[in-house]
């Protein structure tokens, strides 16, 4: 006879709020096993008892068939005493200690729920339908453990039908915390022309006619408000650009489905997978056909995403257009609006209608942005769907808060061996964004029960994030910007050794007081050695160069030709105001307010200006983006660098000027310039490998969001049997550096303890 035994199983990872408990219940029923399951704040605990030879199959299925959004990091199985249990139960959650388990990110509505929308009497066309496999999570959670009363669903009491499903272990909505239906759940309200509409069918048809008429509507989404209009309507898109103020950026477009997206963009297999994943990020695609609304502003990329809320699907069913601009509801650098009151105040005056619903968004999150580079998805803005998934690291990072950079800020907290990056916060120089920053740090500390004992900050003394860190009254470790970039990528791939680090970005504070940004480093988590960098160039006017890219262009010409550049017969020089040229040239000569920079982004800015692609940037990194976008594919030649001075671009600038004077097409010039940069990296990395024997190469910094550059160097290095690493789940731009700061600080703390 088969002996009865008992096991106690502890599961860690993303296992709460992702349909894990009902899954385990169904599994137990299937295997005819008794026991219980319980959510604790630090893990999910499962006790099973049954015939000895049955239990291993249960454990195997547990590992291999978890729900789509679940991620099991660790399962520990211990022997336990049989208690003669008669059934399998789900026990109440327990809040045991300061340890916390993972919080699930928000999950796109699942196919089963889309099916139910058309079948279940109480949820016919109900726009807040969800189940244990889908729906809001991070955006509504106030505290741990993840139970309805700790979310913004707490105001809604379940009706009888929902309650029955919630209590029925075999139901797909068993313990689905945001469970709701037409009778008991949240509802939309449309505010337009001084009137309120609460009937959902009437709301849908009103929204459909507004969109048809080219109007702009503010719509409450999952992590914040969107501004929405027909992406094919040029007039509406132009007006939306005016409403957003200063925002010269291309808009992201939500397509009805994959075939509509395919009409306007090339979509590879990997990009399809990214578009259709439960995360549903905006995916940066190569555009194929111009969108009539002018959303791309002359760039050859198109930010596309697919519906992820039930409302999006219900709307597209009725709309004539197959594409909507859906851009974050905010103005110039402010955080995305989440409150109904704010939307009805600030947004309402700018748009034709506001669509709200009566459930609060607690944690703000933007749409995430992904680009597939080298066959792998690379997140560039990390928010909805990613946050707050932790990075598991091999070190104790507990109690450390890393405050991040100043632009595209994310901060990072350490909990045990989990590094948890915040959602995309934004540009801290904006006062509202700074308030969002401090508020979110407070919320993360509460949610994860952590009180920082060590702070990691950028070395830049004037970053607001650095000052914030220094004001907290605990020990502070300063981490060099590009070292942090490299360490962040190492953390994602679990590297803890000396690597070759290639970090290219716009600006970062260097230890010599100059602005760095084209760094070749031999680096580990503990330290770095600056091996090489591009020649310093002067930035006339300092910070002004980020918007006025012509200044950098002028500086590069001055560096290559001296005053003689004034005689060059170039449209770029001819088009500049003579007085301005004289002033800036004098400043360069006398070195007045011309800080030195080795920033790769600045070099791209300068070339974008000289070639006439971008003399004034209306958004961050416009110059480099235009230069990449203009590039002609299939060109393999490059400009030759000065002999013996591989890091000096003077000769390359002179060859670009010659090409321009000979009327070589700018796309060809751009390709040759890109190839020169790729070659400079390849040669330098080759030397570093030769000297050190290191073959692992970390590629990081915002410049590697450039697909041509990144793929070019990845393929060259791979051919030489070197191993390139480019971050995937962490942004390679400043949004990722908090993770690196955390790692470097943790290593320093570890060393002082020894
Ligand atoms: Zn669902
Ligand atoms: Zn209900
Ligand atoms: Fe950076």
């Amino acid at each position: 006879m088969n002996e009865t035994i008992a096991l106690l199983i502890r599961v860690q990872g993303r296992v709460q709020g992702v349909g894990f408990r009902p899954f385990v219940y169904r599994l137990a029923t299937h295997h005819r096993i008794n026991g219980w399951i319980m959510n604790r704040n630090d893990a999910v605990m499962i006790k099973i008892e049954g015939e000895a030879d049955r239990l291993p199959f249960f454990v195997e299925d547990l590992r291999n068939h978890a729900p789509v959004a679940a991620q099991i990091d660790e399962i520990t199985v211990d022997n336990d005493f049989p208690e003669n249990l008669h059934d399998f139960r789900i026990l109440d959650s327990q809040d045991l200690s300061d340890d916390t388990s993972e919080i699930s990110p928000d999950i796109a509505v699942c196919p089963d729920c889309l099916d139910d929308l058309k079948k279940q009497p109480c949820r016919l066309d109900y726009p807040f339908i969800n189940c244990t496999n889908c729906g809001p999570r991070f955006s509504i959670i106030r505290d741990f453990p993840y139970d309805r009363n700790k979310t913004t669903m707490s105001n809604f009491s379940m009706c009888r039908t929902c309650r029955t499903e919630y209590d029925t272990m075999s139901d797909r909505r068993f313990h689905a915390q945001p469970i709701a239906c037409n009778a008991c759940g949240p509802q939309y309200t449309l505010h337009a022309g001084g009137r309120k509409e609460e009937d959902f069918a009437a709301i849908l048809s009103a929204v459909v006619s507004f969109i048809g008429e080219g109007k702009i509507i503010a719509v409450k989404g999952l992590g914040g408000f969107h501004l929405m209009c027909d992406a094919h309507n040029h007039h509406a898109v132009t007006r939306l650009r005016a409403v957003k103020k200063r925002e010269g950026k291309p808009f992201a477009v939500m397509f009805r489905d994959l075939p509509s997206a395919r009409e306007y963009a090339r979509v590879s297999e990997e990009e399809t997978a990214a578009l259709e994943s439960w995360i549903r990020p905006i995916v940066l695609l190569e555009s194929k056909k111009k969108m009539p609304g002018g959303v791309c502003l002359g760039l050859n990329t198109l930010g596309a995403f697919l519906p992820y809320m039930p409302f999006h699907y219900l709307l597209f069913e009725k709309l004539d257009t197959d594409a909507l601009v859906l851009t974050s509801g905010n103005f110039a650098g402010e955080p995305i609006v989440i409150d109904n009151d704010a939307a009805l105040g600030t947004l309402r005056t700018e748009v034709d209608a506001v669509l709200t619903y009566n459930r609060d968004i607690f944690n703000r999150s933007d749409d995430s942005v992904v680009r597939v580079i080298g066959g792998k998805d690379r997140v560039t803005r990390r928010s909805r769907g990613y946050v707050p998934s932790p990075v598991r690291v091999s070190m104790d990072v507990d109690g450390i808060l890393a405050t991040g950079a100043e632009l595209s800020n994310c901060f990072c907290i350490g909990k045990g061996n989990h590094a948890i990056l915040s959602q995309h916060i934004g540009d801290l120089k904006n006062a509202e964004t700074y308030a969002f920053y401090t508020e979110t740090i407070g919320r993360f500390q509460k949610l994860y029960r952590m009180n920082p004992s060590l702070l990691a900050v950028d070395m830049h003394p004037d970053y607001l994030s650095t000052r914030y860190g220094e004001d907290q009254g605990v020990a502070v470790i300063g981490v060099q910007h590009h070292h942090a970039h490299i360490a962040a990528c190492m953390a994602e791939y679990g590297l803890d050794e000396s690597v070759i680090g290639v970090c290219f970005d716009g600006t970062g504070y260097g230890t010599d007081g100059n602005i760095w940004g084209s760094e070749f480093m031999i680096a580990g988590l503990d330290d770095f050695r600056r091996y090489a960098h591009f020649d310093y160039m002067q930035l006339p006017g300092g910070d002004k160069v980020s918007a006025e890219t012509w200044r950098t262009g002028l500086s590069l010409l001055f560096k290559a030709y001296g005053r003689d550049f004034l005689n060059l017969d170039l449209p770029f020089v001819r088009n500049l105001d003579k007085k301005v040229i004289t002033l800036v040239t004098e400043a360069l000569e006398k070195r007045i307010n011309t800080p030195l920079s080795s920033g790769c982004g600045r070099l791209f800015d300068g070339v974008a200006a000289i070639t006439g692609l971008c003399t004034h940037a209306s958004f961050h990194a416009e110059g480099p983006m235009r230069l990449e976008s203009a590039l002609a594919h299939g060109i393999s030649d490059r400009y030759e660098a000065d002999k013996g001075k591989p890091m000096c671009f003077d000769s390359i600038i002179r060859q670009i000027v010659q090409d321009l004077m000979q009327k070589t097409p700018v796309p060809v010039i751009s390709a040759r310039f890109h190839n020169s940069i790729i070659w400079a990296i390849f040669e330098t990395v080759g030397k570093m490998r030769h000297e050190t024997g290191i073959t692992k190469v970390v590629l990081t910094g915002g410049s590697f969001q450039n697909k041509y550059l990144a793929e070019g160097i990845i393929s060259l290095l791979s051919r030489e049997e070197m191993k390139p690493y480019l971050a995937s789940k962490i942004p390679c731009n400043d949004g990722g550096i908090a993770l690196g700061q955390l790692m470097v600080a943790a290593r320093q703390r570890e060393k002082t303890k020894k």
Side-chain angles (χ1 to χ4, degrees):
M1 197 197 131
N2 213 328
E3 186 197 358
T4 294
I5 62 157
L7 297 174
L8 191 62
I9 306 170
R10 178 187 156 98
V11 188
Q12 283 182 297
R14 187 165 61 232
V15 286
Q16 297 195 19
V18 289
F20 197 72
R21 289 182 299 175
F23 153 72
V24 171
Y25 174 80
R26 280 193 299 273
L27 210 59
T29 318
H30 173 76
H31 288 281
R32 280 177 285 145
I33 281 171
N34 295 332
W36 48 257
I37 178 168
M38 180 172 60
N39 264 357
R40 285 194 339 210
N41 52 343
D42 61 335
V44 166
M45 302 300 296
I46 304 165
K47 169 146 183 177
I48 50 171
E49 57 180 61
E51 292 168 16
D53 54 3
R54 249 186 231 286
L55 301 196
F57 294 109
F58 173 90
V59 178
E60 199 180 298
D61 281 353
L62 186 67
R63 249 183 242 282
N64 298 329
H65 299 290
V68 52
Q71 185 190 308
I72 296 176
D73 289 335
E74 208 175 312
I75 297 185
T76 47
V77 182
D78 289 306
N79 289 319
D80 204 13
F81 300 103
E83 295 170 85
N84 202 11
L85 301 171
H86 296 292
D87 54 7
F88 195 89
R89 293 176 183 230
I90 301 206
L91 303 182
D92 282 343
S93 299
Q94 261 187 21
D95 194 343
L96 272 190
S97 62
D98 275 357
D99 285 337
T100 45
S101 181
E102 280 193 48
I103 301 169
S104 164
D106 298 317
I107 308 168
V109 59
C110 75
D112 290 336
C113 281
L114 290 175
D115 218 41
D116 286 349
L117 266 186
K118 300 300 166 199
K119 283 189 196 143
Q120 276 194 334
C122 66
R123 297 197 181 88
L124 288 175
D125 287 347
Y126 178 58
F128 294 92
I129 193 168
N130 66 81
C131 71
T132 51
N133 297 316
C134 75
R137 298 289 186 272
F138 173 66
S139 57
I140 61 167
I141 192 169
R142 286 197 176 103
D143 200 5
F144 249 119
Y146 173 65
D147 276 329
R148 188 176 175 105
N149 63 357
K150 296 198 169 155
T151 70
T152 58
M153 279 300 291
S154 60
N155 313 344
F156 297 91
S157 44
M158 285 179 222
C159 71
R160 278 229 312 290
T161 318
C162 286
R163 172 55 74 182
T164 309
E165 289 170 302
Y166 186 87
D167 287 335
T168 306
M169 294 199 203
S170 57
D171 197 279
R172 207 175 78 249
R173 294 192 176 83
F174 176 69
H175 280 217
Q177 306 306 342
I179 189 173
C181 75
N182 257 320
C184 68
Q187 302 287 344
Y188 279 99
T189 305
L190 181 69
H191 310 256
R195 289 187 42 226
K196 274 201 230 175
E197 178 58 69
E198 289 180 342
D199 175 69
F200 188 64
I203 290 176
L204 264 191
S205 50
V207 170
V208 167
S209 29
F210 286 156
I211 295 293
E213 291 157 16
K215 291 187 168 152
I216 298 172
I217 310 176
V219 180
K220 190 169 182 177
L222 210 46
F225 275 83
H226 281 125
L227 300 180
M228 176 171 90
C229 73
D230 181 358
H232 295 306
N233 185 323
H234 192 270
H235 179 75
V237 174
T238 312
R239 206 185 122 215
L240 182 54
R241 225 176 271 293
V243 165
K244 289 268 286 184
K245 289 171 188 112
R246 285 201 307 151
E247 185 89 5
K249 261 189 186 170
F251 285 133
V253 175
M254 180 178 278
F255 286 95
R256 178 195 291 146
D257 47 25
L258 196 59
S260 336
R262 283 222 162 95
E263 243 185 81
Y264 295 95
R266 269 172 253 283
V267 191
S268 71
E269 217 174 288
E270 293 89 354
E271 286 159 342
T272 303
L275 282 168
E276 290 184 328
S277 80
W278 60 268
I279 295 174
R280 289 289 206 288
I282 295 169
V283 183
L284 220 51
L285 303 169
E286 185 194 334
S287 53
K288 185 163 88 181
K289 187 165 108 191
K290 206 174 159 205
M291 292 206 63
V295 294
C296 302
L297 284 176
L299 289 168
N300 73 339
T301 46
L302 172 65
F305 57 152
L306 295 177
Y308 58 86
M309 289 176 84
F311 172 75
H312 301 148
Y313 284 93
L314 293 167
L315 182 60
F316 273 118
E317 272 176 21
K318 300 253 167 13
L319 279 175
D320 290 327
T321 180
D322 62 353
L324 292 168
V325 167
L326 222 56
T327 185
S328 39
N330 64 343
F331 302 118
E334 286 178 9
I336 174 169
V337 171
I338 55 171
D339 292 328
N340 290 353
D341 289 346
L344 291 169
T346 47
L347 288 182
R348 189 175 199 169
T349 51
E350 306 281 348
V351 300
D352 302 304
V354 178
L355 183 59
T356 62
Y357 58 77
N358 56 349
R359 180 181 68 209
D360 286 341
I361 296 171
F362 189 72
N363 297 303
R364 170 188 281 122
S365 47
D366 289 84
D367 293 313
S368 294
V369 182
V370 156
R371 190 172 198 187
V372 172
I373 294 178
K376 210 167 161 180
D377 49 329
R378 320 282 177 175
V379 65
T380 59
R381 183 169 70 194
R382 191 178 177 278
S383 241
R384 177 183 53 76
Y386 285 90
V387 179
S389 298
V391 178
R392 275 172 88 88
V393 297
S394 53
M395 233 189 320
D396 174 22
V397 290
D398 202 62
I400 307 177
L401 164 64
T403 63
E406 188 170 76
L407 269 176
S408 325
N409 177 281
C410 295
F411 62 85
C412 187
I413 64 165
K415 182 80 194 167
N417 64 342
H418 281 183
I420 303 141
L421 264 180
S422 74
Q423 67 270 46
H424 166 80
I425 304 278
D427 177 2
L428 300 185
K429 278 194 209 141
N430 178 286
E432 315 279 331
T433 305
Y434 186 78
F436 169 41
Y437 174 67
T438 55
E439 177 191 75
T440 310
I441 291 179
R443 286 183 176 179
F444 268 62
Q445 289 181 4
K446 177 169 175 268
L447 196 53
Y448 290 97
R449 280 101 168 135
M450 78 85 81
N451 205 355
S453 53
L454 178 62
L455 273 109
V457 302
D458 195 274
M459 277 185 175
H460 199 307
D462 299 328
Y463 271 6
L464 290 170
S465 48
T466 306
R467 292 206 200 141
Y468 171 86
E470 280 167 349
D471 287 347
Q472 299 310 303
V474 285
V476 174
I477 290 176
V479 183
Q480 201 279 324
H481 188 93
H482 304 94
H483 185 206
H485 269 299
I486 295 167
C489 180
M490 292 175 67
E492 182 181 342
Y493 291 105
L495 301 174
D496 188 0
E497 59 195 279
S498 279
V499 299
I500 294 173
V502 182
C503 182
F504 281 20
D505 64 359
T507 54
Y509 190 81
T511 51
D512 61 357
N514 293 328
I515 305 164
W516 293 5
S518 57
E519 307 309 312
F520 295 85
M521 292 175 167
I522 306 290
L525 293 178
D526 48 349
D527 209 358
F528 70 93
R529 176 164 70 87
R530 196 181 190 205
Y531 180 92
H533 60 88
F534 290 171
D535 246 11
Y536 282 125
M537 62 183 133
Q538 293 173 274
L539 301 181
D543 282 346
K544 278 189 193 158
V545 296
S546 22
E548 299 175 26
T549 44
W550 61 267
R551 290 172 175 272
T552 314
L554 213 134
S555 167
L556 287 177
L557 290 179
F558 179 77
K559 186 170 178 295
Y561 292 92
R563 262 189 171 274
D564 289 347
F565 86 86
L566 292 164
N567 307 323
L568 293 173
D569 184 26
L570 276 187
F572 168 65
V573 179
R574 275 202 309 269
N575 293 341
L576 286 173
D577 185 276
K578 290 283 160 302
K579 257 193 252 158
V580 174
I581 295 195
T582 314
L583 275 173
V584 173
T585 313
E586 256 180 48
L588 286 166
E589 266 176 343
K590 295 183 181 152
R591 303 191 162 265
I592 302 164
N593 190 22
T594 56
L596 293 180
S597 162
S598 63
C600 176
R602 291 289 97 90
L603 181 64
F604 273 70
D605 271 352
V607 173
I610 295 171
T611 49
L613 287 169
C614 179
T615 50
H616 291 82
S618 58
F619 57 91
H620 179 67
E622 181 175 354
M625 279 165 76
R626 294 221 174 269
L627 201 56
E628 181 194 355
S629 192
L631 182 149
H633 288 264
I635 305 246
S636 57
D637 58 336
R638 59 171 196 273
Y639 301 119
E640 290 300 328
D642 290 285
K643 282 268 168 297
K645 285 160 89 185
M647 299 282 109
C648 173
F649 283 81
D650 293 349
S651 148
I652 288 172
I653 294 296
R654 285 193 289 265
Q655 290 164 73
I656 289 175
V657 167
Q658 254 163 27
D659 263 353
L660 281 168
M661 297 210 276
Q662 286 161 8
K663 305 271 183 289
T664 307
V666 170
V668 175
I669 298 179
S670 172
R672 288 177 178 161
F673 172 69
H674 273 82
N675 294 342
S676 315
I677 302 276
I678 292 169
W679 193 255
I681 297 175
F682 180 61
E683 279 196 321
T684 309
V685 168
K687 268 191 226 154
M688 294 168 86
R689 175 201 193 168
H690 189 73
E691 281 176 36
T692 61
I694 299 172
T695 54
K696 293 184 179 170
V697 185
V698 165
L699 304 169
T700 185
S703 302
F704 286 104
Q705 293 170 103
N706 182 319
K707 190 176 162 103
Y708 185 86
L709 181 72
E711 289 184 345
I713 189 66
I714 286 173
S715 89
L716 278 180
L717 292 176
S718 306
R719 250 185 271 161
E720 296 294 315
E721 282 163 19
M722 284 188 262
K723 187 122 188 49
Y725 293 87
L726 177 62
S728 164
K729 304 290 173 231
I730 300 296
C732 69
N733 58 42
D734 280 8
I737 80 163
L739 173 62
Q741 294 171 344
L742 188 89
M743 296 301 285
V744 173
R747 176 49 49 83
Q748 284 195 24
R749 180 175 71 181
E750 195 180 80
K751 276 166 104 180
T752 49
K753 273 187 187 158
K754 273 177 192 163

